[in-house]
């Protein structure tokens, strides 16, 4: 095969029971044992399936177990919840349930099912099926692996669709030609998995993906489904690689015509990642959510109208779109101030950065290549943002400042003076306030 070999090859001799024992948390192992006993007691077969099995084979940590039951999955979920003294939720429209252990651990349980799609991008119509049907309805061969938890074949790998070979060779392959058209979210899933594991799309799979894109299947996806996939990419381990690949495969314009990655945008995205990694080492407390940061970076430089349009296409709440626009405007304003003013005093830096959501700081850093500006941002993070006036509002009243907005304004002046070294002591702060009171002005 002409594929790049994966660096994540599963070991040839697979001992799944041993792998589960050494890689999974004790509480999850206990849950799996109880699942097996519960299945035995009720005469059903229960199987670990999908991404969990894939990750066990790859040696990647994953505690999100999906169980498939040949029989009544919801009844099994109920029995399992009773056996572990936990709770369960469900069933969903697809007959799935979630079992929640007392320690918070969750297991998804589904009835083995067959799926058909009435039209491209429709939600599937499901009917109960065999395990073989259930594995065949899945997106990629590497997600069709399974093993039984109970019965004589327990912990023996079930590999009906070539998943372990593709896993070993690092290949993403769909099971049939309609896969992307049935479910266009798989276009994004394919790219996310490819970038996450350093795999490659099989040639035929790539052609099918491109055909589905050309046939405008992405346009058929609801905003919520599209956003769910994009968000998973932006929150994952390699958001920039995913965006680059989406751009390379000309997928982004199918989300919105204005979404094209220029080399400058790509460089900015890379800069943001570097800045975020740097900040995570020095100031982990300011690292926030990844998706607002990467979405703001992706859209940076666009006018408000296309940003609103894209936000609406992705079914973001109006408030989330508003926050995005406000955050981007705060970055832009901070950037201008820090760039234009030559000799910035600490109080000016604090004023420039105060309204900036901290999770967008990596964007500001990536936009600010000048060493002196970066140093100011670092000083803000390390010291200036923590500075508070020594005096309180009550102190100001005691000094004769009347109740009202003047107190807030004066406290801001006191803080600025303290930051800039003009009021280094409590006495200096007090005399500044007294001066303001006698002069009848703020400071
Ligand atoms: N699946 C699918 N088509 C989709 C979504 C999911 O066939 N559009 C199947 C895959 O077999 C997948 C399983 O459902 O393994 C569970 O879905 P999910 O939990 O989203 O995927 P995981 O592989 O478990 O998780 P991830 O890929 O994020 O690691």
């Amino acid at each position: 095969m002409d594929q790049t070999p994966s660096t994540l090859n599963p070991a040839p001799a697979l001992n799944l029971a041993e792998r589960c024992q050494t890689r999974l948390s004790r509480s999850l192992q206990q849950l799996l044992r109880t699942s097996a006993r519960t299945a035995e007691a009720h005469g059903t077969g229960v199987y670990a399936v999908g991404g969990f099995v894939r990750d066990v084979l790859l040696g990647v940590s994953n505690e999100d177990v999906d169980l498939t039951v040949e029989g009544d999955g919801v009844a099994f979920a109920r029995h399992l919840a009773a056996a572990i003294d936990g709770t369960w939720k469900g069933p969903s429209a697809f007959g799935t349930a979630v079992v929640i252990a007392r320690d918070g651990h969750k297991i998804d349980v589904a009835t083995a099912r067959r799926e058909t799609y009435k039209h491209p991008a429709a939600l599937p119509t499901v009917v109960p099926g065999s395990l073989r049907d259930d594995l065949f309805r899945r997106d990629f061969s590497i997600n069709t692996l399974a093993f039984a938890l109970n019965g004589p074949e327990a912990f023996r790998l079930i590999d009906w669709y070539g998943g372990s070979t593709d896993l070993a060779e690092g290949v993403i392959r769909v099971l049939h030609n309609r896969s992307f058209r049935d479910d266009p979210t798989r276009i994004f899933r394919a790219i996310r998995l490819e970038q996450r594991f350093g795999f490659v799309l099989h040639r035929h799979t790539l052609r099918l993906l491109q055909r589905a894109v050309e046939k405008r299947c992405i346009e058929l996806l609801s905003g919520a489904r599209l956003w769910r996939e994009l968000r998973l990419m932006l929150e994952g381990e390699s958001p920039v690689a995913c965006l680059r690949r989406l751009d390379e495969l000309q997928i982004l314009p199918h989300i919105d015509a204005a979404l094209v990655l220029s080399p400058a945008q790509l460089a900015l995205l890379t800069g943001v990642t570097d800045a975020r990694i740097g900040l995570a080492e020095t100031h982990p407390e300011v690292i926030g959510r990844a998706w607002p940061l990467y979405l703001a970076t992706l859209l940076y430089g666009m006018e408000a109208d296309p940003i609103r349009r894209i936000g609406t296409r992705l079914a973001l709440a109006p408030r989330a779109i508003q926050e995005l626009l406000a955050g981007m405007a705060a970055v832009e304003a901070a950037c201008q101030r820090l760039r234009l003013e030559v000799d910035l005093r600490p109080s000016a830096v604090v004023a420039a950065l105060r309204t900036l959501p901290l999770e967008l700081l990596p964007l500001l850093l990536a936009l600010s290549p000048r060493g002196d500006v970066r140093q100011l941002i670092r000083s803000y993070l390390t010291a200036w943002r923590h500075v508070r006036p020594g005096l309180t509002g009550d102190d100001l009243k005691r000094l004769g400042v009347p109740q009202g907005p003047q107190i807030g304004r004066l406290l801001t002046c006191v803080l600025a003076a303290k930051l800039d070294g003009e009021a280094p002591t409590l006495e200096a702060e007090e005399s500044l306030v007294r001066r303001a009171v006698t002069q009848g002005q703020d400071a």
Side-chain angles (χ1 to χ4, degrees):
M1 234 182 249
D2 59 345
Q3 315 292 349
T4 311
S6 155
T7 50
L8 291 164
N9 287 350
L14 297 170
N15 184 338
L16 282 167
E18 195 183 297
R19 278 170 182 245
C20 287
Q21 239 170 40
T22 52
R23 301 233 162 86
L24 306 180
S25 67
R26 270 165 192 274
S27 70
L28 184 55
Q29 289 181 45
Q30 181 61 40
L31 261 175
L32 294 182
R33 274 195 294 273
T34 314
S35 300
R37 276 200 302 274
T38 307
E40 281 298 296
H42 292 88
T44 42
V46 67
Y47 302 86
V49 291
F52 170 73
V53 181
R54 175 198 71 211
D55 290 346
V56 168
L57 295 185
L58 286 174
V60 173
S61 125
N62 181 351
E63 299 260 309
D64 283 337
V65 186
D66 286 317
L67 296 183
T68 291
V69 176
E70 272 193 316
D72 188 343
V74 176
F76 173 80
R78 228 174 28 236
H79 297 315
L80 178 59
I84 61 171
D85 198 17
T87 55
W88 70 284
K89 273 199 254 172
S92 73
F94 303 116
T96 60
V98 187
V99 177
I100 304 138
R102 288 170 75 88
D103 65 1
H105 221 116
K106 291 180 183 164
I107 289 197
D108 288 324
V109 180
T111 303
R113 63 189 193 256
R114 219 150 19 98
E115 286 181 348
T116 49
Y117 295 82
K118 288 211 175 89
H119 54 81
L123 290 175
T125 308
V126 306
V127 290
S130 63
L131 178 70
R132 201 176 275 268
D133 293 327
D134 193 276
L135 298 177
F136 186 69
R137 76 176 169 83
R138 288 166 189 268
D139 48 6
F140 311 116
S141 63
I142 59 170
N143 287 338
T144 63
L145 297 165
F147 60 86
L149 293 183
N150 64 318
E153 299 289 304
F155 289 97
R156 189 160 306 160
L157 186 68
I158 296 169
D159 179 13
W160 285 320
Y161 303 107
S164 62
T165 305
D166 284 344
L167 204 54
E169 290 177 354
V171 174
I172 310 278
R173 186 201 305 262
V174 288
L175 304 189
H176 57 84
N177 288 354
R178 290 199 54 84
S179 192
F180 290 118
R181 283 215 256 166
D182 281 346
D183 182 351
T185 63
R186 291 175 176 170
I187 294 168
F188 297 90
R189 288 178 62 84
I191 290 170
R192 182 162 57 84
L193 281 176
E194 183 195 45
Q195 298 307 314
R196 173 163 157 208
F197 294 130
F199 283 10
V200 290
L201 293 171
H202 184 263
R203 240 182 329 183
H204 183 58
T205 295
L206 177 60
R207 263 200 304 273
L208 292 171
L209 181 150
Q210 287 173 312
R211 213 172 295 156
V213 173
E214 284 158 18
K215 293 266 179 205
R216 307 180 75 76
C217 288
I218 292 171
E219 283 80 344
L220 299 176
L221 282 175
S222 70
R225 290 180 79 197
L226 184 54
W227 173 233
R228 186 177 176 275
E229 296 305 324
L230 268 183
R231 183 173 165 164
L232 284 171
M233 283 183 166
L234 301 183
E235 284 174 340
E237 293 139 35
S238 38
V240 180
C242 286
L243 289 172
R244 188 184 289 123
R245 189 74 165 125
L246 287 177
D247 181 54
E248 194 176 284
L249 295 171
Q250 291 168 22
I251 289 171
L252 290 174
H254 288 268
I255 299 172
D256 187 280
L259 275 181
V260 184
L261 277 193
S262 64
Q265 208 83 27
L266 261 175
L268 187 61
L269 282 160
T270 308
V272 161
T273 300
D274 293 344
R276 194 165 191 263
I277 293 170
L279 277 177
E281 279 168 18
T282 55
H283 297 90
E285 75 283 2
V286 304
I287 296 298
R289 300 166 303 169
W291 73 260
L293 172 65
Y294 283 106
L295 189 59
T297 309
L298 180 64
L299 305 180
Y300 197 75
M302 277 187 196
E303 299 291 329
D305 276 349
I307 294 177
R308 278 198 202 94
R309 191 179 65 224
I310 292 167
T312 307
R313 170 66 183 108
L314 298 175
L316 299 186
R319 196 169 148 192
I321 298 176
Q322 224 28 62
E323 275 173 18
L324 179 69
L325 283 166
M328 289 168 74
V331 171
E332 177 65 26
C335 208
Q336 294 293 342
R337 271 177 95 161
L338 296 180
R339 201 182 293 154
L340 294 181
E341 298 195 27
V342 191
D343 185 18
L344 277 165
R345 290 183 304 164
S347 61
V349 176
V350 170
L353 298 182
R354 210 178 29 210
T355 58
L356 183 83
L358 284 177
E359 63 193 2
L360 297 186
L361 247 172
L363 176 55
L364 180 64
L365 280 164
L367 286 163
S368 313
R370 260 175 46 189
D372 54 342
V373 171
R374 284 171 163 254
Q375 187 48 51
L376 289 173
I377 298 172
R378 268 193 286 275
S379 300
Y380 169 75
L381 279 180
T382 317
W384 299 337
R385 76 189 165 110
H386 302 297
V387 176
R388 301 280 176 272
L391 295 177
T392 64
D394 282 342
D395 293 331
L396 263 61
K397 276 191 255 172
R398 188 175 41 77
L399 292 167
V401 183
Q403 175 90 32
Q406 202 188 350
I407 294 207
R409 280 202 298 272
L410 261 175
L411 281 174
T412 307
C413 293
V414 171
L415 174 62
K418 182 170 178 178
L419 278 164
D420 297 340
E422 291 158 8
T425 61
L426 209 55
E427 292 70 36
E429 288 184 25
E430 282 192 10
S431 65
L432 188 151
V433 172
R434 283 207 183 86
R435 230 175 19 249
V437 170
T438 50
Q439 289 168 4
Q441 58 190 40
D442 284 353

